[in-house]
Amino acid sequence: MKWIIIRPLFALLMGFTYLLSQFIDSDLLPILVSLFATITVMSYIPYLSKTPMILISTLLILSVIFLLNGSGLMKLFHGMRENVGLLAIFLFVPLISLPIKNGQYLDYMNAIFNHYVKTSKQLYTYLKISILGIGSVMNLGTIPIMYHLTETSSFIDYRDTRIRALTRGFSLSFLWSPYFISIALILTYFNVTWVELFPFGFAFALAGFILGLFTMGSISEPIKIVESDENISIETAKRKLFELLLIIIGMTVITMTIEHFVDLSVLTIIPIMAIIVSTIWSLFYQSPKEFGKELVDYTQGRLPKMGNELSLFIAAGVFGVAILDAGASEWIIYLIEASGINHLLILIPVLALVVNLLSFIGVHPIITNTALAITLSSSPMFEGDHLLLSIGLLTGWMLTILISPLSATNLMVGNLTGTNSVHVGLKMNWQFTIILYGVFYILMVGIYYLT
């Protein structure tokens, strides 16, 4: 029973202490962040399922071996906080889902679907827009919500259409959303800001959205809508969803503005924004006591279920520090030079291929991309190419989310639909993925020669 309390407690202490350390110049705070991160990962490991337990334990053991032959175990301890900036986003951004649910915005979205969706192509389009919008803030938790929202008598026969919309729409958010761990990792290591990255990432996502519409073809089956019992007028639903859109855009604009004028990373701004906005927004729908109860439920219900991700991100950060200490930077640069790859536009698809191949054998993209980001960002070879390298790593990462049978997205959708992750990811998306990366590569070539 005590671990049920200790796990979320130290995860939260890790996150809050990290945020505090961004404002207070103290030698003690980074040490506390490392301590809380160490206790967090150790408290979660015994409760992980078999595969993540083996993977995370292996990463930590290898890190110990590398560092014992290098800088020593104090480096291991300090390395525990390497990815805590990413975890602050992972810990606190889901709080925004509380007012979205309590404000009944999902019910209003359901009313919009029932009113406007009359064909299978419209179902795909509206669902993809929804997952791109709300999913860019609520992250992975949006998928089961949107799936069950469309698991109605009207849409139940269009399972494959819904699967494609959910997986393709969600994966595109990895390219631009500041609330996603992919963007956080890139901003941690590369000399780029989110304001610089956003226009390109969003343009790529828009290109992916349009390509998805084209690949659906011209066939559009009519859907017989079964009227819902909910008494929500379409005018009210549109007004409330417009309100939701304004809040999301407002959060993003404020984040961009703060990042521009204040010497803080989005890794710090976004968790603080999530805490403040979710609190103020929730108090419009709940009393402080009810909101407090939901926060307790969040810490005791949701946080203990984040063990795989929290432990993996901490272990990946430590492993990145360890292999860098062991000379991985020199190894990777040597391999690049030895392979004859001397052009960035050749390197980028090779990196995407490596990340995806490793994801198919169980190596999480956070591990591969952490190692690549640490190495490439610190290499003088690519000193002037950080923006395009960032885009290249993000597009490669996005592909793993879309097609890898071991991606959390495909595992979740496979479980929701009663199929499997191979069918959901590889079988349904491999052709689309090849075409999509071709389009992305052409865009990257254009960026290379025009910027």
Side-chain angles (χ1 to χ4, degrees):
M1 178 63 71
K2 64 180 180 179
W3 288 112
I4 296 176
I5 299 173
I6 288 176
R7 282 178 282 161
L9 173 63
F10 281 96
L12 289 171
L13 284 172
M14 172 183 68
F16 279 120
T17 307
Y18 163 78
L19 294 178
L20 191 62
S21 70
Q22 303 305 298
F23 296 93
I24 299 176
D25 186 15
S26 166
D27 293 335
L28 177 62
L29 289 177
I31 294 173
L32 288 176
V33 174
S34 293
L35 176 63
F36 295 146
T38 303
I39 296 173
T40 297
V41 72
M42 293 306 172
S43 65
Y44 272 108
I45 284 178
Y47 298 91
L48 300 178
S49 52
K50 184 177 180 181
T51 300
M53 181 189 291
I54 293 172
L55 173 61
I56 291 162
S57 300
T58 301
L59 287 176
L60 293 175
I61 291 169
L62 288 174
S63 299
V64 170
I65 293 171
F66 285 137
L67 289 170
L68 280 175
N69 293 307
S71 298
L73 292 184
M74 278 306 295
K75 186 86 171 183
L76 177 79
F77 179 71
H78 295 313
M80 287 288 179
R81 63 174 180 263
E82 183 70 17
N83 277 347
V84 170
L86 314 182
L87 290 174
I89 288 179
F90 192 75
L91 284 167
F92 298 118
V93 165
L95 291 172
I96 298 172
S97 66
L98 300 180
I100 288 178
K101 291 177 183 177
N102 291 323
Q104 298 182 317
Y105 291 101
L106 299 176
D107 294 334
Y108 298 121
M109 185 172 292
N110 190 35
I112 293 287
F113 269 70
N114 282 327
H115 183 81
Y116 286 107
V117 175
K118 307 298 181 185
T119 67
S120 57
K121 195 163 189 176
Q122 287 176 340
L123 173 61
Y124 176 85
T125 304
Y126 275 80
L127 187 53
K128 197 169 182 180
I129 290 173
S130 300
I131 199 77
L132 265 171
I134 297 179
S136 66
V137 176
M138 288 178 59
N139 214 300
L140 199 61
T142 320
I143 290 179
I145 292 172
M146 297 307 299
Y147 178 78
H148 290 303
L149 188 68
T150 54
E151 185 75 349
T152 63
S153 301
S154 302
F155 307 130
I156 197 168
D157 293 333
Y158 297 90
R159 187 190 69 178
D160 286 358
T161 299
R162 292 154 58 212
I163 288 175
R164 288 188 177 94
L166 288 171
T167 55
R168 295 176 185 181
F170 183 76
S171 65
L172 292 174
S173 296
F174 276 76
L175 299 171
W176 67 272
S177 175
Y179 308 102
F180 272 58
I181 208 81
S182 53
I183 296 293
L185 184 140
I186 292 298
L187 298 181
T188 298
Y189 295 107
F190 288 96
N191 186 29
V192 294
T193 65
W194 182 64
V195 175
E196 294 172 319
L197 195 58
F198 169 75
F200 296 101
F202 193 78
F204 276 53
L206 185 60
F209 177 81
I210 294 171
L211 179 65
L213 295 181
F214 278 115
T215 58
M216 289 298 289
S218 58
I219 299 175
S220 186
E221 299 177 14
I223 296 176
K224 184 178 179 181
I225 300 297
V226 178
E227 293 297 329
S228 173
D229 293 334
E230 294 177 9
N231 188 23
I232 299 175
S233 70
I234 192 63
E235 290 77 16
T236 301
K238 288 193 289 186
R239 178 174 57 81
K240 294 298 290 185
L241 287 183
F242 182 68
E243 175 186 294
L244 176 61
L245 180 63
L246 285 180
I247 293 171
I248 292 174
I249 292 174
M251 288 172 54
T252 305
V253 169
I254 292 172
T255 299
M256 292 173 67
T257 304
I258 294 174
E259 185 194 28
H260 181 73
F261 289 105
V262 179
D263 187 23
L264 287 174
S265 166
V266 289
L267 302 182
T268 302
I269 299 168
I270 288 175
I272 294 173
M273 182 74 66
I275 294 168
I276 294 172
V277 170
S278 62
T279 301
I280 296 172
W281 195 3
S282 292
L283 293 177
F284 277 97
Y285 305 110
Q286 300 173 289
S287 68
K289 183 177 180 180
E290 290 171 330
F291 179 57
K293 184 177 182 302
E294 284 215 334
L295 289 179
V296 172
D297 291 341
Y298 173 79
T299 61
Q300 299 305 307
R302 188 159 182 171
L303 282 184
K305 295 177 182 177
M306 294 182 177
N308 286 354
E309 293 81 3
L310 289 170
S311 303
L312 180 59
F313 294 156
I314 293 171
V318 175
F319 185 67
V321 169
I323 62 171
L324 191 65
D325 187 74
S329 179
E330 290 78 11
W331 305 340
I332 294 174
I333 298 301
Y334 172 78
L335 288 173
I336 291 173
E337 292 175 342
S339 66
I341 298 174
N342 55 12
H343 199 288
L344 185 64
L345 291 178
I346 300 175
L347 176 65
I348 285 174
V350 170
L351 295 178
L353 183 64
V354 169
V355 171
N356 278 269
L357 288 176
L358 290 175
S359 75
F360 272 73
I361 60 172
V363 181
H364 196 283
I366 190 72
I367 300 170
T368 315
N369 281 300
T370 296
L372 290 174
I374 290 174
T375 299
L376 299 176
S377 64
S378 60
S379 169
M381 282 180 63
F382 307 106
E383 191 172 356
D385 299 313
H386 281 202
L387 179 60
L388 195 55
L389 266 174
S390 299
I391 296 169
L393 288 178
L394 287 171
T395 54
W397 192 338
M398 189 224 71
L399 299 186
T400 70
I401 305 305
L402 198 54
I403 61 170
S404 173
L406 297 178
S407 81
T409 304
N410 290 331
L411 288 167
M412 175 181 284
V413 175
N415 183 59
L416 285 170
T417 58
T419 54
N420 58 71
S421 59
V422 175
H423 174 81
V424 167
L426 192 59
K427 187 174 180 181
M428 296 188 70
N429 286 317
W430 72 269
Q431 291 174 312
F432 173 75
T433 299
I434 292 173
I435 299 170
L436 180 64
Y437 192 74
V439 171
F440 285 170
Y441 187 72
I442 291 170
L443 291 174
M444 284 187 279
V445 171
I447 294 170
Y448 180 82
Y449 285 109
L450 294 176
T451 58

